[in-house]
Structures are given as C-alpha cells and as structure tokens.
Amino acid sequence: MWIEDYALIGDMQSAALVGRNGSIDWLCLPRFDSPSCFGALLGDKKHGQWWIGPAHAERPRATRRRYRGETLVLESEWDTPTGTVRVVDFMPTRHTNPDLVRIVEGVSGTVEMATEIRIRFDYGRIVPWVRRDEDLLQAVGGPDSVWLHSPVPLEGGDYAHHARFTVSEGDSMAFVFTWHPSHEPRPVEIDPHEQLAETEALWAEWVEKCTYQGPWRDAVVRSLITLKALTYAPTGGIVAAPTTSLPEDIGGVRNWDYRYCWLRDATMTLDALIGAGYLDEARAWRSWLLRAIAGRAQDLQIMYGVAGERRLTELELDWLPGYENSRPVRIGNGAVDQLQLDVYGEVMNSLHLSRVSGLEADQRAWTLQFELISYVEQHWGDADEGLWEVRGPRRHFVHSKVMCWVALDRAVRQVEAFGKPGPLKHWKELRDRIHAEICDKGFDPVRGTFTQSYGSQELDAALLLIPIVGFLPPEDPRVTGTVEAIQRELMVDGFVLRYPVSPDNDVDGLPGGEGAFLACSFWLAEALAMIGRKDEAVELFERLLALRNDVGLLAEEYDPRYKRLVGNFPQAFSHVPLIHTARALT
C-alpha cells in the first residue's frame, strides 16, 4: 500500500497505522519508540500484521472510511454483494495497559468476514510463544506479552492465527488486543463498547476548546487532533511522527527514525496549539522541555526521547527489507549529536510565546534561557549542520544565523516586557551585530536574494521564515526578492524543495533525490500572504490541502515524480505549518 493509504489511531502514548484494506501494519508498544509488534509496514506480513476484512483472497480495500466526527476513532466500511460491514478501530485512553480495539459491525445483509493476526515482537524478529487461556490468546516473547480477546474461535497455523465468521445487520463483535510486560499478571479486561463511548467523548471535549473558526476549520481541527495524538501524555513530549524509515526517496537511503521529540518540531507544534487555544498542552510541553534540557547549555541536543532520554543511538535493522525495499531501516537517530544553532532560537521563541500567551512565569525557564543566550553569544559565529540535519560538511547556514538573532531578540523582549534581569544593552548590541553580518554575508545583491549559506549560490526554503520570525519586515525588498527567487529556483510542479539536490551540490552528503518537503510550501504560502499576494497564497494553500489523504493526513513530503506522499507519516512538521498558514490567511 502507498503511505497515503494509512490512517492513524492512538492513545497519546503510542499509535497504529491502519490500511485501507483493514490491515494494521504498524504498532509499537508500550511507547511510540518501543519495538514494533506489527511491523509489516517495513517488510511484509511475516514481520507482524493484523488484518480484518471481507473474506476474499485479495483483501479488498474499504469502499469508504472516515473518522467519527472530530475524533481519532476510525470507521472503515465495505460494500459487498451480500451486504455492508463496518470495522471500528481505536485505542482507548490508557488506564494501566495499552489496548487496541477492533469492533466489527453488521450494517446490512450478511457478510462473510475473515481475520489473520501475526504477532512479531522486536521489529519482526521475535516469533512469540502462543497459548490459549479460556477464550483468550496470550503471546509471549522476552519482555513483551499480549492478550487477544476474540469473539470467534481462532485457529493456529503458519505462525499465525486465523478465523472466518459471518456478520449480519445489527451484529457487533469486538476484538481487544492488550499489551503488558511479560513478567506481570494477566491484565484486567476492558469493556470495548464502554471504552468506545468514553474515547469519543474525550476527543469531543478536547476539540471544543479549539478557538479557530476560519474557513479551513475541518483541516485545522484534523491537524490539531493529529498533533495531540503525537503527544506523549505522561511527559508532554511531542514526537515528530509515529514511524521510522518511511523513505523520503522511494528505494533510497534517506530513511530516518522520527519517533523522538525534536525541539524544533515541538516548539512549532507548541505555537500551533497555543494559537488554537490549548494552553494546557503548552504548559505540559514547557515542563517537559525544562526537564529534558536541564544541565549545561552546551549539552543541549536537537532531539530527545519522549521522557527526555538523551542517548538515541542509531542502528540499522538488516532483517527488515524496508518500505518498498527502501534500505536501510534505522532506529535511533545519529543527528542527535549534530550542532544545529537554530534550535536555540526556536526554544527561546517558544518560551517567549508561552509567556506572552498567558502561561504563568517559571523562574527555572528564565534561568535556562539566560544560559542558552550565553551559549549563543559564544557560538553564533560557528558553522553547523543546520535545520535540515545535513550529513555533509558544516556550513554557515543563513537560517541558523537568523535563529541566533531570534534567540537574542526574544531575550531582549523578555527583559523589556516582563522585567527579567539581563544585560539589555549588551544583548541589543549583539543582536544588531548578528543582523548586520547576515545582511552582509548571507545576501546576494546581484540576484536580490538571501542564500543558503555564506558565500553559496544555492537557495534554501528555510529563508522563507525570515519575515515570519520578524528578522525583516515583509515589505523589505530583500524579503520579496528572496520569495520570488525561491519560486523561480526551488519549485517543482508547483511545490517547494528544501534546497537543490543534485550531483554537484553536496550539501547533505547523501545520494539520491527526495520529494518536496511540505512544510516549505506552507511557508511559501504564508510568506506570499505577508508580502500582499494573498490570492496566490490561497491558491497554493488549497493545492497543498488537496494532497492530504482521504482522512486528512499528511506525510513529510510529496514526490511530484510519482504523485504520492513520501517520508514518515503522519508528520507533525507538515500539520503544524498547515495550521499556521490557515491562521495567517484567515
């Protein structure tokens, strides 16, 4: 299946991807970054899968599917010659153990159904020992154990369990899959229908807090729900995506693990949530941040685990063939050790925004910000790997320098607006010095555009953020010149590339190409609106919305060559700028 054929369900601690054909091909438990127990997404069914659908050798796709209102409860329906059947998939809010519920409902007539479940722990490597206990199946492998309650008898064979059954109009048959540590006793069973009602009510209550009422409310609300689903509830950390190694280039090597909390992604997500009225999430994220980065400013990482873990060692899983043979499959992320100076600006901007938006003061936050500014003062002139986490040589990326300016600017604002202690005159002077250097070394006066790095000829879509973060006003000719240059040189089939990817440009140190990074096109739409070209901005925004799949989800990129979504899915860094752009255009 294509990436856009999947829908997301989750319990704000982990998530599953459900295919159009009724197959769950990805689920990691008990956390987003735990090893998978269903891993067919990165291989095939022998790496773990749970399918339910009409009994047919070809496993037909659902005739239609949708989320139940403004929730994360998924409904898939199949029309067959003998009747219509519905499968309702969801993960209840976690109480003690994670549960996945699948309810098969007869809508009309009578339909013969089938199910096949292959549980594989540790990313498809461990075939568990399975035993029956009354009407339950228990699968055990190392530290993992799952219990499956099935309303129909399951027969074992070929290291899987199968069943055929019929569903008639009015029938409702619930399957419940529960994980727990294998050393603990059998978990308490849940009431699936009671949990369904509770889950729907919780999502409805959460969505009611949304303050956005513009013309793109449906798209904004679905994006907000997705961001909420990517939040690890116990700590407030926000993962970039629930998947690993979905390729940016089909068949290529640009395959990364996104099941961690990038400070950059999380701060932008925080901004989107605050703008929609969700201050509780902002408060939880600020607490996560202060815990995660506690210590010396020079030890700041660009990403952390959902509980603030710092060691995210990158490994390659050679037993998995990868999505559509895109190798290697990676877990962990080596970029954790990179220097990305823009993160300091992102964190400073986010904490300033939190304060301006009404969050109560936190002395620990200002102490941290003071330390961060001291580090920026010493290192803003260094080369780094930049926003895009290039694995080529370090450079003096213009966007990184701009975000160092943002860090100083937000520190100055904190002192001026809230009376925070700090060397105001010195910070203002340093802020102005950084600004002057960027305009001198990062701007090409012949072409009338900022460039990717000092002395380079290449462009970078991150330059579109210059007016958005307030580095220059939108009406400045250097801003309009940069926007127009990016339109000329980085757009492919109407969408924006991050930067030129070609054999003679070794900026990222990787072979192969990639799709259009969707956040970049959203940035262009917002920048166009800021420079007064709103009709053009709306047209681009509507074109981007059309790339969402049938349930409103976006991956990291869109590949115009193949007309399909690529990269990890669903991607916070795509849904966040969707929300920002909708607000800007509204």
Short mmCIF file of all heavy atoms in Angstrom, two decimals, residues 158-191:
data_model
loop_
_atom_site.label_atom_id
_atom_site.label_comp_id
_atom_site.label_asym_id
_atom_site.label_seq_id
_atom_site.Cartn_x
_atom_site.Cartn_y
_atom_site.Cartn_z
N ASP A 158 0.88 -21.79 10.34
CA ASP A 158 1.84 -20.94 9.63
C ASP A 158 2.25 -19.76 10.49
O ASP A 158 2.41 -18.64 10.00
CB ASP A 158 1.24 -20.47 8.30
CG ASP A 158 2.27 -19.80 7.40
OD1 ASP A 158 3.47 -20.14 7.52
OD2 ASP A 158 1.89 -18.91 6.61
N TYR A 159 2.46 -20.00 11.77
CA TYR A 159 2.88 -18.98 12.73
C TYR A 159 1.93 -17.78 12.75
O TYR A 159 2.36 -16.62 12.89
CB TYR A 159 4.31 -18.52 12.44
CG TYR A 159 5.31 -19.64 12.58
CD1 TYR A 159 5.80 -20.28 11.45
CD2 TYR A 159 5.73 -20.07 13.84
CE1 TYR A 159 6.72 -21.32 11.55
CE2 TYR A 159 6.64 -21.11 13.95
CZ TYR A 159 7.13 -21.73 12.81
OH TYR A 159 8.03 -22.77 12.94
N ALA A 160 0.64 -18.06 12.58
CA ALA A 160 -0.39 -17.01 12.63
C ALA A 160 -1.66 -17.64 13.18
O ALA A 160 -1.75 -18.86 13.37
CB ALA A 160 -0.63 -16.44 11.24
N HIS A 161 -2.66 -16.80 13.43
CA HIS A 161 -3.97 -17.28 13.85
C HIS A 161 -5.04 -16.70 12.94
O HIS A 161 -4.99 -15.50 12.61
CB HIS A 161 -4.23 -16.93 15.32
CG HIS A 161 -3.49 -17.82 16.27
ND1 HIS A 161 -2.15 -17.65 16.55
CD2 HIS A 161 -3.89 -18.92 17.00
CE1 HIS A 161 -1.76 -18.59 17.38
NE2 HIS A 161 -2.80 -19.37 17.67
N HIS A 162 -5.98 -17.54 12.53
CA HIS A 162 -6.97 -17.18 11.52
C HIS A 162 -8.37 -17.50 12.01
O HIS A 162 -8.56 -18.35 12.88
CB HIS A 162 -6.73 -17.99 10.22
CG HIS A 162 -5.30 -18.11 9.81
ND1 HIS A 162 -4.76 -17.39 8.77
CD2 HIS A 162 -4.30 -18.89 10.28
CE1 HIS A 162 -3.50 -17.70 8.63
NE2 HIS A 162 -3.18 -18.62 9.53
N ALA A 163 -9.34 -16.83 11.39
CA ALA A 163 -10.74 -17.17 11.65
C ALA A 163 -11.60 -16.66 10.50
O ALA A 163 -11.26 -15.67 9.84
CB ALA A 163 -11.23 -16.56 12.96
N ARG A 164 -12.70 -17.38 10.25
CA ARG A 164 -13.75 -16.91 9.34
C ARG A 164 -15.03 -16.86 10.14
O ARG A 164 -15.30 -17.74 10.96
CB ARG A 164 -13.91 -17.85 8.13
CG ARG A 164 -12.87 -17.64 7.05
CD ARG A 164 -13.13 -18.56 5.85
NE ARG A 164 -12.23 -18.27 4.76
CZ ARG A 164 -12.57 -17.71 3.62
NH1 ARG A 164 -13.84 -17.38 3.40
NH2 ARG A 164 -11.68 -17.49 2.67
N PHE A 165 -15.83 -15.84 9.89
CA PHE A 165 -17.08 -15.69 10.63
C PHE A 165 -18.03 -14.83 9.82
O PHE A 165 -17.61 -14.14 8.86
CB PHE A 165 -16.81 -15.06 12.00
CG PHE A 165 -16.07 -13.75 11.95
CD1 PHE A 165 -16.75 -12.54 12.06
CD2 PHE A 165 -14.68 -13.71 11.81
CE1 PHE A 165 -16.09 -11.33 12.02
CE2 PHE A 165 -14.01 -12.49 11.77
CZ PHE A 165 -14.71 -11.30 11.87
N THR A 166 -19.30 -14.88 10.14
CA THR A 166 -20.29 -14.09 9.42
C THR A 166 -20.85 -13.00 10.34
O THR A 166 -20.98 -13.18 11.55
CB THR A 166 -21.45 -14.96 8.90
OG1 THR A 166 -22.06 -15.63 10.01
CG2 THR A 166 -20.95 -15.95 7.89
N VAL A 167 -21.17 -11.88 9.71
CA VAL A 167 -21.73 -10.73 10.43
C VAL A 167 -23.01 -10.32 9.72
O VAL A 167 -23.00 -10.09 8.50
CB VAL A 167 -20.74 -9.56 10.48
CG1 VAL A 167 -21.37 -8.35 11.18
CG2 VAL A 167 -19.46 -9.96 11.19
N SER A 168 -24.09 -10.21 10.46
CA SER A 168 -25.37 -9.79 9.90
C SER A 168 -25.76 -8.43 10.46
O SER A 168 -25.19 -7.95 11.45
CB SER A 168 -26.46 -10.82 10.23
OG SER A 168 -26.14 -12.09 9.67
N GLU A 169 -26.73 -7.81 9.81
CA GLU A 169 -27.18 -6.49 10.22
C GLU A 169 -27.51 -6.46 11.72
O GLU A 169 -28.23 -7.32 12.22
CB GLU A 169 -28.41 -6.08 9.42
CG GLU A 169 -28.94 -4.70 9.74
CD GLU A 169 -30.10 -4.30 8.85
OE1 GLU A 169 -30.32 -4.98 7.81
OE2 GLU A 169 -30.78 -3.31 9.19
N GLY A 170 -26.93 -5.49 12.43
CA GLY A 170 -27.17 -5.35 13.86
C GLY A 170 -26.15 -6.05 14.73
O GLY A 170 -26.09 -5.79 15.94
N ASP A 171 -25.33 -6.95 14.16
CA ASP A 171 -24.31 -7.64 14.94
C ASP A 171 -23.17 -6.68 15.31
O ASP A 171 -22.86 -5.75 14.57
CB ASP A 171 -23.72 -8.81 14.15
CG ASP A 171 -24.69 -9.96 14.01
OD1 ASP A 171 -25.70 -9.98 14.73
OD2 ASP A 171 -24.42 -10.85 13.16
N SER A 172 -22.54 -6.95 16.44
CA SER A 172 -21.37 -6.19 16.87
C SER A 172 -20.42 -7.14 17.57
O SER A 172 -20.77 -7.74 18.60
CB SER A 172 -21.76 -5.05 17.81
OG SER A 172 -20.63 -4.31 18.21
N MET A 173 -19.22 -7.30 17.02
CA MET A 173 -18.26 -8.27 17.54
C MET A 173 -16.94 -7.55 17.81
O MET A 173 -16.33 -6.98 16.90
CB MET A 173 -18.05 -9.40 16.53
CG MET A 173 -19.38 -10.04 16.08
SD MET A 173 -19.17 -11.26 14.77
CE MET A 173 -18.46 -12.60 15.69
N ALA A 174 -16.50 -7.56 19.05
CA ALA A 174 -15.34 -6.77 19.47
C ALA A 174 -14.11 -7.65 19.71
O ALA A 174 -14.17 -8.64 20.46
CB ALA A 174 -15.65 -5.98 20.73
N PHE A 175 -13.00 -7.29 19.07
CA PHE A 175 -11.69 -7.89 19.31
C PHE A 175 -10.88 -6.88 20.14
O PHE A 175 -10.84 -5.69 19.82
CB PHE A 175 -10.95 -8.15 18.00
CG PHE A 175 -11.61 -9.14 17.08
CD1 PHE A 175 -12.71 -8.77 16.30
CD2 PHE A 175 -11.11 -10.43 16.97
CE1 PHE A 175 -13.30 -9.68 15.43
CE2 PHE A 175 -11.71 -11.34 16.11
CZ PHE A 175 -12.81 -10.98 15.34
N VAL A 176 -10.19 -7.37 21.18
CA VAL A 176 -9.39 -6.48 22.03
C VAL A 176 -7.99 -7.06 22.17
O VAL A 176 -7.81 -8.21 22.58
CB VAL A 176 -10.03 -6.32 23.43
CG1 VAL A 176 -9.18 -5.38 24.28
CG2 VAL A 176 -11.45 -5.79 23.31
N PHE A 177 -7.01 -6.24 21.84
CA PHE A 177 -5.59 -6.60 21.86
C PHE A 177 -4.94 -5.77 22.96
O PHE A 177 -4.97 -4.53 22.93
CB PHE A 177 -4.99 -6.27 20.49
CG PHE A 177 -3.52 -6.54 20.32
CD1 PHE A 177 -3.09 -7.74 19.77
CD2 PHE A 177 -2.58 -5.58 20.65
CE1 PHE A 177 -1.73 -7.97 19.56
CE2 PHE A 177 -1.23 -5.81 20.45
CZ PHE A 177 -0.80 -7.01 19.91
N THR A 178 -4.36 -6.44 23.97
CA THR A 178 -3.80 -5.74 25.14
C THR A 178 -2.35 -6.15 25.36
O THR A 178 -2.04 -7.34 25.44
CB THR A 178 -4.62 -6.05 26.40
OG1 THR A 178 -5.99 -5.73 26.18
CG2 THR A 178 -4.09 -5.26 27.60
N TRP A 179 -1.47 -5.15 25.49
CA TRP A 179 -0.05 -5.41 25.78
C TRP A 179 0.22 -5.22 27.27
O TRP A 179 -0.39 -4.36 27.91
CB TRP A 179 0.82 -4.43 24.99
CG TRP A 179 2.30 -4.60 25.22
CD1 TRP A 179 3.16 -5.32 24.46
CD2 TRP A 179 3.08 -4.04 26.29
NE1 TRP A 179 4.44 -5.26 24.98
CE2 TRP A 179 4.41 -4.48 26.12
CE3 TRP A 179 2.78 -3.23 27.38
CZ2 TRP A 179 5.44 -4.11 26.98
CZ3 TRP A 179 3.80 -2.86 28.27
CH2 TRP A 179 5.12 -3.30 28.05
N HIS A 180 1.17 -5.99 27.79
CA HIS A 180 1.66 -5.74 29.14
C HIS A 180 3.03 -6.39 29.28
O HIS A 180 3.41 -7.26 28.48
CB HIS A 180 0.69 -6.28 30.21
CG HIS A 180 0.69 -7.77 30.35
ND1 HIS A 180 0.96 -8.42 31.53
CD2 HIS A 180 0.45 -8.74 29.44
CE1 HIS A 180 0.87 -9.74 31.35
NE2 HIS A 180 0.56 -9.96 30.10
N PRO A 181 3.83 -5.98 30.25
CA PRO A 181 5.13 -6.62 30.48
C PRO A 181 4.93 -8.10 30.79
O PRO A 181 4.04 -8.46 31.57
CB PRO A 181 5.71 -5.85 31.67
CG PRO A 181 5.00 -4.53 31.67
CD PRO A 181 3.61 -4.84 31.17
N SER A 182 5.75 -8.94 30.23
CA SER A 182 5.52 -10.38 30.32
C SER A 182 5.67 -10.93 31.75
O SER A 182 5.18 -12.02 32.04
CB SER A 182 6.48 -11.12 29.39
OG SER A 182 7.83 -10.84 29.73
N HIS A 183 6.34 -10.18 32.62
CA HIS A 183 6.52 -10.67 34.00
C HIS A 183 5.33 -10.31 34.89
O HIS A 183 5.28 -10.76 36.04
CB HIS A 183 7.79 -10.08 34.61
CG HIS A 183 7.76 -8.59 34.77
ND1 HIS A 183 8.07 -7.73 33.74
CD2 HIS A 183 7.44 -7.81 35.84
CE1 HIS A 183 7.96 -6.48 34.17
NE2 HIS A 183 7.56 -6.50 35.43
N GLU A 184 4.39 -9.53 34.37
CA GLU A 184 3.25 -9.13 35.17
C GLU A 184 2.07 -10.06 34.94
O GLU A 184 1.97 -10.73 33.91
CB GLU A 184 2.86 -7.69 34.85
CG GLU A 184 3.92 -6.67 35.27
CD GLU A 184 3.46 -5.24 35.07
OE1 GLU A 184 2.34 -5.04 34.52
OE2 GLU A 184 4.21 -4.32 35.45
N PRO A 185 1.12 -10.10 35.88
CA PRO A 185 -0.05 -10.99 35.72
C PRO A 185 -0.95 -10.51 34.60
O PRO A 185 -0.86 -9.39 34.11
CB PRO A 185 -0.75 -10.90 37.08
CG PRO A 185 -0.30 -9.60 37.66
CD PRO A 185 1.10 -9.39 37.18
N ARG A 186 -1.85 -11.39 34.24
CA ARG A 186 -2.82 -11.10 33.17
C ARG A 186 -3.56 -9.79 33.43
O ARG A 186 -4.05 -9.55 34.53
CB ARG A 186 -3.81 -12.26 33.09
CG ARG A 186 -4.99 -12.06 32.18
CD ARG A 186 -5.81 -13.34 32.15
NE ARG A 186 -7.14 -13.13 31.58
CZ ARG A 186 -8.02 -14.11 31.38
NH1 ARG A 186 -7.69 -15.36 31.69
NH2 ARG A 186 -9.21 -13.86 30.86
N PRO A 187 -3.62 -8.91 32.44
CA PRO A 187 -4.26 -7.61 32.65
C PRO A 187 -5.77 -7.73 32.78
O PRO A 187 -6.39 -8.68 32.31
CB PRO A 187 -3.88 -6.82 31.39
CG PRO A 187 -3.64 -7.87 30.35
CD PRO A 187 -3.06 -9.04 31.08
N VAL A 188 -6.36 -6.73 33.41
CA VAL A 188 -7.81 -6.67 33.56
C VAL A 188 -8.42 -6.36 32.20
O VAL A 188 -7.96 -5.47 31.47
CB VAL A 188 -8.20 -5.59 34.58
CG1 VAL A 188 -9.72 -5.45 34.67
CG2 VAL A 188 -7.61 -5.93 35.95
N GLU A 189 -9.48 -7.10 31.85
CA GLU A 189 -10.13 -6.86 30.56
C GLU A 189 -10.97 -5.59 30.60
O GLU A 189 -11.57 -5.26 31.62
CB GLU A 189 -11.02 -8.06 30.19
CG GLU A 189 -10.25 -9.33 29.90
CD GLU A 189 -11.17 -10.46 29.49
OE1 GLU A 189 -12.14 -10.21 28.73
OE2 GLU A 189 -10.94 -11.60 29.92
N ILE A 190 -11.01 -4.90 29.47
CA ILE A 190 -11.82 -3.69 29.36
C ILE A 190 -13.15 -4.03 28.69
O ILE A 190 -13.30 -5.06 28.05
CB ILE A 190 -11.11 -2.60 28.55
CG1 ILE A 190 -10.89 -3.07 27.10
CG2 ILE A 190 -9.79 -2.21 29.19
CD1 ILE A 190 -10.43 -1.97 26.16
N ASP A 191 -14.11 -3.13 28.85
CA ASP A 191 -15.37 -3.23 28.13
C ASP A 191 -15.20 -2.40 26.85
O ASP A 191 -15.14 -1.16 26.91
CB ASP A 191 -16.51 -2.67 28.98
CG ASP A 191 -17.86 -2.77 28.27
OD1 ASP A 191 -17.92 -2.58 27.04
OD2 ASP A 191 -18.87 -3.01 28.96
#
